[in-house]
Amino acid sequence: MFTDLPLLSVLIWFPVLGGIAVLVNGDNNSFARPLSLLISVLTLVLSIGLYIGFDNTTHQMQFAEHASWISVFDINYSLGIDGFSMPLIILTAFSTVIVVVAGWEVIKDRVSQYMAAFLIMEGLMIAVFASLDAILFYVFFEAMLIPLFLVIGIWGGPNRVYATIKFFLYTLFGSVFLLLALLYLHHVSGSFSILDFHDVSLTMQEQIYLFLAFLIAFAVKVPMWPVHTWLPDAHVEAPTGGSVILAAITLKIGGYGLIRFALPITPDASMALDWLVIGLSLTAVVYIGFVALAQSDLKKLIAYSSIAHMGFVTLGLFIVFRIFANSSTGSGAVLAVEGAMVQMISHGFIAAAMFLSVGVLYDRMHTREISAYGGVINTMPVFGGFAVFFAMANAGLPGTSGFVGEFMVILAAYQANFWYAFLAATTLILGAAYTLWMVKRVMFGEVANDNVAQLKDINQREFWMLASLAIIVLAIGLWPAPLTEIMHASVEHLLTQVSESKL
Amino acid sequence: MNFEVINMIFALPEMFMLAMACVILLVVAYLGKNSANLAYGLSQFTLVATAFLIYRSLGDAGFTFDGTYIKDAFSDVLKLAIVIINVAVLLYSTHYLKARGLFKGEYYVLAIFSTLGMMIMVSANHFLTIYLGLELMSLCMYAMVAMHRDSKTATEAAMKYFVLGAIASGMLLYGMSIIYGVTGSLELTTIASTIQTGNLDNTVLSFGLVFLVIGIGFKLGAVPFHMWLPDVYHGAPTAVTLFIATTPKIAAFAMAIRILVDGLGDVHQHWQGMLIMLSVLSMIIGNVVAIAQTNLKRMLAYSTISHIGFILLGILSGSQEGYAASLFYALVYSLMSLGGFGMIILLSRQGFEADKIDDYKGLHERNPWYALMMLILMFSMAGIPPLVGFYAKLTVIKSIIDVNLVSLAIVAVLMSVIGAFYYLRIIKVMYFDKAEQNTALEAPTDMRIMISVNALTVLALGLFPGALLAVCGAVFL
């Protein structure tokens, strides 16, 4: 019955048009919030359709759509999803609902514009994951920056202008190299289709340059050490909704880009330079873990913890070459890539939840300094329960989704090299240290001051927002199989692609 | 003796425009001070009717006036663009002129004659025709800059413009004379065939080429021949800046294509190196110096210089695709520039020029719609998708990658990142800063519609750039 419906196009353009409708409706009446909620929930419901109609058994692109867009250059409006992009699209749709709910009472100024920015951004981000044409991908990849730039700049904290311009220029700097790489690939292959790029044969030198271009573009997004410095600034200054989208989705676009472009297009260069990515990832895991320990600002701490967690994603993606070298079966490689993907999805939920929790506190106390809190659990028991749960998930407690991805990657890393696994496993200690120490200082102990004593516990809206996230974090933690089954065929296909030399 | 019947139909739009320009001139001369409204109406009629005449004759191609004049797809597209954009230019500038007591018929006479000059340049197939068109265009513009004769800055700008423009014309003429000396012809088609067949003295040819490139560089405003550009943009009344910044660039681009590609296309390797230097310097100086500007008109002047660098990139690639890309870029640039200066005029009023960047503080609070339009224009100039400025940069960079000039492409994209900074600053000022003044922003309806149409065209072309790209590509087939 729904087979004729171009579901991906609907998922892209419905929130965009809905966002424009919210914008046009303006702030003179009270429709902005309910209308945005309606649009985002409908988009989420529609996105579930992707899950239902998805065929686990194939790595082929599904829900494919194709139309000519710029015929002179053979640039097409071509969409499709596989096991990598589908979960990320649903994550995007879910996060947007959360963002709309999170901004419900908090945003009082220019509400319609705030909501519209996030709805438009939702459509653009879904489009990034669904694009199969390189230029189409790039257009959405860049266009996404505009609403995020405005969100941080308009609704952000005191130092928002610096943070947002830094964010914009940093990511733009990365992505222009992506553009060059895509144009060069077109020059070589005569097509702008990403799937055609996968099949084009390239010399080692070409691959190295292309790989470095991809790496710059996506490392900035992930962000990998040492190009991560925009992220703490952007997170600290962004409004809660902006932080949630940054952590949950935009960082994932970096990881997704590596999966979609760097690995299959330049497998030989990826293999030759895997030490670089592994080194940077382990630095992120270990060094950034220590940096997180030293933070006195709640949001900064979570931002750094995000960087450390994303280190697992890049680590998981690039240890596969070492695993191939060590064993002939390559089962560890599947574990590594699936672990990276699970880590991305899981981090999307946990980081969102952490930023929302900080948002809940910030709305009441208007400070993010850890030292301003203490004993919050005495006055906000329900919230405290959630916050401690999410902190545990962030630290990688078994039973939560945070454990699954990290554990899979560490297991796989053991097959690559003992020391990789050893260094990666330090996160279990470091992550626990900075997260639990923060929880101790903020949540437990005596009520620190009068402000904390007057705190009111979370209301219904905040309860359901956090509860839905808690359920998902727990569900993935206890039963990750549905998630890994979706991506299994695509992961296998990716691994055959990376194991075949293109020279 | 062999009499050839001149097929004047190929020059019909120009002849019509010339006739109308004379009519407007007479009207202004006889009616004097009361003529402004009539002159404005007649000018708009002339432009629209000319556009119609060009549109009617689309597809015809051929030479006329003894081979000195050419009508082809290239000239049709550019003339149509020039005429249509000038309709918008006159619409914007009229309100500016009215508010400052500069609303006189002479402005329109000069504008129409100048437009005629551009059309002649676009259709020229002969060095003298090019020169004729160029001087007709430039002389009118010198006078327009000086129109506000009580303004010191405007007079100074006019003086600079005139002197430097005259030097540029001199260089160009000198270059033409040397090429004539080598090839024995002033007609571009003949020059091209002579170069193709004969064994010419390459040294002398290159010597002449240098002067031609300098002349073209001056008229386009490429570094290091850009010195006049910021001063003139800044000093001239905004209405005149708007005029200078839009269509004359299209005409100068046409001149570059006619001379370098149609005439001297076979010595591409000689001028490619020169253009690479002009292009790289323009992108660097334009973008870097623009960061330091506090005056929006001056900033846009430097931004123009950087855009010229990008347009040159397409030309220097030496491929059909590159020419098409730079044509696309030139058209898009004019459209964006039209919007940018149009916005300055829209927000300005008697005694307040709205040309400082600080004047845009909190525009979003004062009028969200104007701020959104300006946002679209600025992001487009910065080359951020999904706005048309992105495709302009994309096609140009694609064309140079396709001829294996990857290092040049890297310079171009890095410069566009630097460029993004100062456009972002305008958006920052509009959206993130608090408004310092709360005077109501009033603008006549036609202008409000025009700026909206202008900016939304930039957006629409960004979403569906295919058609315009196809037109530009077809021109050079």
Side-chain angles (χ1 to χ4, degrees):
Chain A
M1 160 183 183
F2 292 115
T3 44
D4 292 339
L5 187 72
L7 192 53
L8 286 173
S9 283
V10 172
L11 282 172
I12 294 167
W13 298 110
F14 177 66
V16 171
L17 295 176
I20 293 171
V22 171
L23 196 63
V24 170
N25 178 53
D27 289 326
N28 295 328
N29 50 44
S30 54
F31 291 143
R33 291 182 182 94
L35 191 61
S36 312
L37 185 65
L38 181 72
I39 293 163
S40 59
V41 169
L42 271 178
T43 314
L44 177 63
V45 170
L46 286 169
S47 76
I48 302 296
L50 294 180
Y51 180 78
I52 295 169
F54 193 80
D55 178 5
N56 282 347
T57 55
T58 173
H59 68 267
Q60 299 291 341
M61 290 297 166
Q62 304 179 34
F63 297 94
E65 289 172 37
H66 190 90
S68 180
W69 180 34
I70 305 174
S71 49
V72 220
F73 296 136
D74 196 24
I75 297 173
N76 297 302
Y77 177 78
S78 116
L79 306 175
I81 53 168
D82 61 3
F84 293 120
S85 37
M86 195 270 273
L88 290 166
I89 290 178
I90 297 179
L91 176 68
T92 309
F94 179 80
S95 307
T96 306
V97 178
I98 294 288
V99 165
V100 169
V101 176
W104 198 272
E105 290 156 2
V106 182
I107 301 296
K108 299 189 174 68
D109 187 27
R110 310 186 202 175
V111 181
S112 63
Q113 294 167 24
Y114 180 85
M115 297 295 179
F118 280 105
L119 288 174
I120 292 172
M121 207 163 16
E122 175 182 19
L124 298 177
M125 289 184 300
I126 291 177
V128 168
F129 292 125
S131 297
L132 291 182
D133 183 281
I135 297 299
L136 191 67
F137 174 89
Y138 187 81
V139 165
F140 289 121
F141 185 73
E142 287 281 274
M144 208 190 79
L145 297 179
I146 299 177
L148 201 52
F149 172 75
L150 293 175
V151 163
I152 300 176
I154 296 177
W155 292 278
N159 202 13
R160 59 188 197 277
V161 173
Y162 167 78
T164 195
I165 289 185
K166 184 172 177 182
F167 152 74
F168 194 96
L169 290 180
Y170 232 114
T171 42
L172 182 65
F173 173 80
S175 48
V176 292
F177 288 99
L178 174 65
L179 182 64
L180 286 181
L182 298 179
L183 289 174
Y184 186 80
L185 280 165
H186 174 262
H187 175 56
V188 178
S189 71
S191 158
F192 272 122
S193 158
I194 296 175
L195 297 180
D196 288 348
F197 287 175
H198 288 185
D199 297 330
V200 68
S201 63
L202 299 158
T203 67
M204 193 63 186
Q205 199 193 7
E206 283 175 325
Q207 285 201 33
I208 296 275
Y209 285 125
L210 287 172
F211 177 78
L212 289 176
F214 288 138
L215 188 63
I216 293 174
F218 297 123
V220 168
K221 281 261 177 188
V222 167
M224 292 170 78
W225 184 86
V227 286
H228 65 281
T229 61
W230 62 271
L231 187 78
D233 285 321
H235 266 315
V236 168
E237 300 303 328
T240 305
S243 290
V244 169
I245 288 297
L246 260 178
I249 319 294
T250 49
L251 304 195
K252 306 305 172 293
I253 290 175
Y256 173 77
L258 291 172
I259 292 174
R260 185 65 81 220
F261 291 92
L263 286 172
I265 296 175
T266 59
D268 303 292
S270 304
M271 183 154 83
L273 293 176
D274 67 344
W275 53 269
L276 177 66
V277 182
I278 293 174
L280 295 180
S281 309
L282 289 173
T283 313
V285 171
V286 179
Y287 167 71
I288 297 293
F290 279 111
V291 173
L293 209 49
Q295 299 308 312
S296 60
D297 180 306
L298 281 169
K299 268 190 159 180
K300 255 199 172 135
L301 192 150
I302 302 170
Y304 279 111
S305 108
S306 281
I307 301 169
H309 283 117
M310 290 304 286
F312 271 93
V313 176
T314 45
L315 182 69
L317 295 177
F318 281 83
I319 49 174
V320 294
F321 300 103
R322 300 289 159 115
I323 298 175
F324 280 135
N326 290 349
S327 75
S328 51
T329 58
S331 65
V334 175
L335 195 65
V337 176
E338 286 187 358
M341 271 304 291
V342 173
Q343 174 74 353
M344 284 217 272
I345 305 291
S346 144
H347 176 260
F349 292 113
I350 297 175
M354 295 290 282
F355 280 114
L356 287 172
S357 304
V358 174
V360 166
L361 285 178
Y362 183 79
D363 295 339
R364 289 165 171 74
M365 300 268 290
H366 299 287
T367 173
R368 294 181 308 259
E369 285 299 312
I370 295 177
S371 54
Y373 295 92
V376 171
I377 203 153
N378 297 313
T379 46
M380 300 175 75
V382 180
F383 169 72
F386 279 120
V388 172
F389 173 75
F390 290 128
M392 290 297 180
N394 197 42
L397 185 78
T400 62
S401 66
F403 173 74
V404 182
E406 288 182 12
F407 190 66
M408 286 166 86
V409 173
I410 293 172
L411 267 187
Y414 191 75
Q415 293 190 25
N417 185 319
F418 168 76
W419 291 106
Y420 295 167
F422 176 81
L423 287 171
T426 57
T427 193
L428 296 175
I429 301 161
L430 282 172
Y434 58 73
T435 318
L436 298 183
W437 192 32
M438 172 191 79
V439 167
K440 183 211 153 239
R441 285 180 289 169
V442 172
M443 290 294 164
F444 298 124
E446 294 296 307
V447 171
N449 51 44
D450 291 349
N451 291 334
V452 174
Q454 286 165 7
L455 282 177
K456 283 199 178 62
D457 210 340
I458 46 174
N459 56 26
Q460 288 277 318
R461 174 183 68 87
E462 290 163 329
F463 177 82
W464 286 111
M465 180 173 84
L466 294 172
S468 60
L469 280 162
I471 291 167
I472 295 174
V473 167
L474 208 55
I476 299 178
L478 294 175
W479 195 38
L483 187 57
T484 51
E485 273 163 17
I486 292 169
M487 57 185 73
H488 196 74
S490 301
V491 171
E492 298 254 307
H493 178 63
L494 177 73
L495 288 171
T496 37
Q497 281 180 320
V498 298
S499 56
E500 280 167 12
S501 171
K502 275 190 161 187
L503 296 173
Chain B
M1 228 176 145
N2 192 4
F3 284 102
E4 194 190 346
V5 181
I6 297 171
N7 193 355
M8 294 207 222
I9 197 85
F10 287 148
L12 186 63
E14 286 85 343
M15 294 167 101
F16 171 74
M17 187 169 261
L18 176 63
M20 285 307 293
C22 296
V23 170
I24 300 169
L25 182 62
L26 285 175
V27 166
V28 172
Y30 277 95
L31 292 184
K33 280 182 181 166
N34 310 319
S35 63
N37 270 318
L38 186 57
Y40 173 54
L42 280 173
S43 308
Q44 290 291 36
F45 165 75
T46 309
L47 292 172
V48 172
T50 311
F52 177 70
L53 288 175
I54 300 168
Y55 180 75
R56 275 284 303 276
S57 67
L58 280 181
D60 303 346
F63 294 95
T64 183
F65 296 117
D66 209 9
T68 58
Y69 211 74
I70 181 173
K71 177 184 183 308
D72 54 7
F74 178 72
S75 67
D76 285 344
V77 169
L78 287 186
K79 279 184 212 166
L80 211 49
I82 288 173
V83 173
I84 291 171
I85 290 177
N86 272 350
V87 171
V89 167
L90 291 192
L91 195 153
Y92 282 135
S93 46
T94 296
H95 295 285
Y96 181 92
L97 299 172
K98 273 185 182 162
R100 284 162 190 76
L102 293 170
F103 188 51
K104 294 177 198 144
E106 286 83 355
Y107 178 86
Y108 299 100
V109 178
L110 291 169
I112 293 296
F113 270 113
S114 189
T115 311
L116 179 62
M118 296 176 210
M119 290 173 58
I120 293 172
M121 276 167 85
V122 168
S123 262
N125 189 43
H126 193 273
F127 275 149
L128 288 184
T129 325
I130 290 181
Y131 190 72
L132 177 75
L134 178 66
E135 287 306 284
L136 182 55
M137 174 186 91
S138 306
L139 285 170
C140 294
M141 292 198 303
Y142 303 145
M144 283 163 87
V145 175
M147 256 188 58
H148 197 193
R149 62 175 184 198
D150 298 331
S151 156
K152 261 189 185 170
T153 50
T155 324
E156 187 191 324
M159 206 52 211
K160 275 183 192 156
Y161 194 20
F162 177 67
V163 172
L164 289 174
I167 294 174
S169 300
M171 296 277 187
L172 196 68
L173 268 186
Y174 189 50
M176 288 171 175
S177 69
I178 295 172
I179 300 291
Y180 175 70
V182 185
T183 61
S185 173
L186 286 169
E187 200 182 296
L188 292 169
T189 332
T190 321
I191 292 173
S193 56
T194 317
I195 292 176
Q196 210 165 21
T197 52
N199 293 321
L200 301 175
D201 188 340
N202 262 333
T203 321
V204 186
L205 194 66
S206 305
F207 189 67
L209 195 54
V210 171
F211 286 96
L212 288 179
V213 169
I214 292 177
I216 292 168
F218 255 112
K219 290 299 170 189
L220 279 172
V223 179
F225 313 113
H226 67 290
M227 286 81 78
W228 60 275
L229 204 135
D231 290 338
V232 172
Y233 274 36
H234 185 184
T238 313
V240 178
T241 312
L242 171 70
F243 188 86
I244 296 174
T246 49
T247 45
K249 294 289 178 248
I250 299 183
F253 164 77
M255 179 171 82
I257 290 284
R258 289 284 182 217
I259 293 180
L260 295 178
V261 178
D262 288 0
L264 300 160
D266 274 311
V267 287
H268 162 249
Q269 73 278 14
H270 290 312
W271 48 261
Q272 187 182 41
M274 302 182 208
L275 291 198
I276 287 178
M277 271 172 50
L278 295 188
S279 163
V280 169
L281 285 175
S282 301
M283 287 189 290
I284 294 176
I285 304 271
N287 277 319
V288 172
V289 180
I291 293 175
Q293 304 307 317
T294 54
N295 183 294
L296 186 58
K297 277 161 82 179
R298 242 186 141 74
M299 191 202 92
L300 286 177
Y302 282 103
S303 121
T304 299
I305 295 172
S306 77
H307 287 306
I308 294 297
F310 276 95
I311 293 175
L312 288 174
L313 273 186
I315 302 178
L316 69 84
S317 75
S319 63
Q320 311 272 317
E321 196 200 341
Y323 304 146
S326 55
L327 168 60
F328 183 74
Y329 203 121
L331 297 180
V332 167
Y333 159 75
S334 299
L335 190 65
M336 297 187 301
S337 185
L338 177 71
F341 287 106
M343 187 58 87
I344 299 180
I345 291 182
L346 181 84
L347 298 180
S348 70
R349 55 181 185 275
Q350 175 68 43
F352 175 70
E353 291 295 327
D355 62 349
K356 292 183 194 59
I357 292 179
D358 285 349
D359 295 341
Y360 290 76
K361 275 191 178 167
L363 181 62
H364 179 59
E365 281 169 45
R366 299 170 65 195
N367 190 322
W369 183 251
Y370 294 163
L372 182 66
M373 296 300 111
M374 191 65 169
L375 172 106
I376 290 176
L377 291 165
M378 288 296 121
F379 271 127
S380 179
M381 285 197 192
I384 307 293
L387 302 161
V388 71
F390 165 71
Y391 300 95
K393 291 207 163 72
L394 174 80
T395 51
V396 166
I397 293 171
K398 180 173 177 295
S399 72
I400 51 170
I401 285 187
D402 284 346
V403 295
N404 280 320
L405 292 168
V406 180
S407 50
L408 211 50
I410 293 176
V411 175
V413 295
L414 287 180
M415 285 308 129
S416 67
V417 175
I418 294 180
F421 175 75
Y422 56 88
Y423 298 119
L424 284 185
R425 198 173 55 173
I426 306 290
I427 295 163
K428 174 231 149 193
V429 165
M430 290 191 306
Y431 276 80
F432 308 157
D433 288 354
K434 287 262 168 272
E436 281 178 351
Q437 43 188 340
N438 282 311
T439 30
L441 293 167
E442 284 163 8
T445 319
D446 56 345
M447 241 179 116
R448 286 206 307 260
I449 295 173
M450 190 64 230
I451 197 85
S452 307
V453 169
N454 193 333
L456 293 178
T457 310
V458 168
L459 178 64
L461 281 175
L463 294 174
F464 303 102
L468 187 57
L469 279 168
V471 168
C472 292
V475 162
F476 287 98
L477 278 184

